[in-house]
Amino acid sequence: MRHFAHRRILASSAALALLAMAAPVFAQKAIVVVRHAEKADQSTDPVLSAEGTARAKALAKALRNLDVKAVYVTQYQRTALTGAPLAKAAGLSTIQVHSDASADLVERMKKEHPADVVLTVGHSNSVPRILKLLGVAET
């Protein structure tokens, strides 16, 4: 991945589809925001499907050279399982933040990882909130 002089936020609504880039409102080197990979079923707290597991592994492979310092997930298995391959490869434990605590998540990233590359795995309803809090304008 090419390194740019300016800081950036990578945003995504799917585990590998990095869709938007914008200047951050704080000093992180990069924040990668993804929606969890495909889930196995429609239950309350499903695991990932085989396709989702493969996508989580592909995400880890795609981000392996970014020197990710933190992997944030929610209380649900699908986000933890999406972030787990990268966390394991980087020698990290995932950091759990409640799915309704987007503002707390952004503040925590500012405080605990002010100059790092961070992965955040969210949901279809939380990813837009996180992006808005990070200063990404709707398009």
Side-chain angles (χ1 to χ4, degrees):
M1 175 173 272
R2 177 185 281 175
H3 294 282
F4 296 94
H6 67 279
R7 296 182 181 111
R8 64 191 180 275
I9 297 171
L10 299 176
S12 172
S13 63
L16 289 179
L18 299 176
L19 300 176
M21 295 178 88
V25 293
F26 49 95
Q28 260 76 23
K29 188 184 274 185
I31 298 173
V32 180
V33 180
V34 299
R35 182 179 178 264
H36 61 79
E38 293 83 357
K39 52 191 179 177
D41 57 49
Q42 297 303 315
S43 63
T44 305
D45 191 16
V47 297
L48 297 179
S49 66
E51 184 180 25
T53 299
R55 190 172 307 277
K57 289 176 184 176
L59 176 66
K61 185 176 178 181
L63 302 181
R64 71 177 173 236
N65 294 326
L66 289 183
D67 193 27
V68 172
K69 297 294 186 190
V71 177
Y72 287 89
V73 299
T74 70
Q75 72 275 20
Y76 295 104
Q77 291 186 91
R78 57 194 176 268
T79 62
L81 293 170
T82 300
L86 178 63
K88 182 178 179 183
L92 302 169
S93 296
T94 57
I95 302 166
Q96 190 178 99
V97 177
H98 195 277
S99 60
D100 291 333
S102 298
D104 292 339
L105 167 65
V106 171
E107 287 304 313
R108 189 168 180 182
M109 288 189 297
K110 285 182 192 180
K111 181 179 177 183
E112 296 178 15
H113 303 281
D116 297 329
V117 177
V118 176
L119 170 65
T120 299
V121 184
H123 304 270
S124 61
N125 62 344
S126 65
V127 166
R129 287 194 307 255
I130 293 165
L131 294 175
K132 185 174 183 177
L133 290 165
L134 291 171
V136 177
E138 290 185 40
T139 56

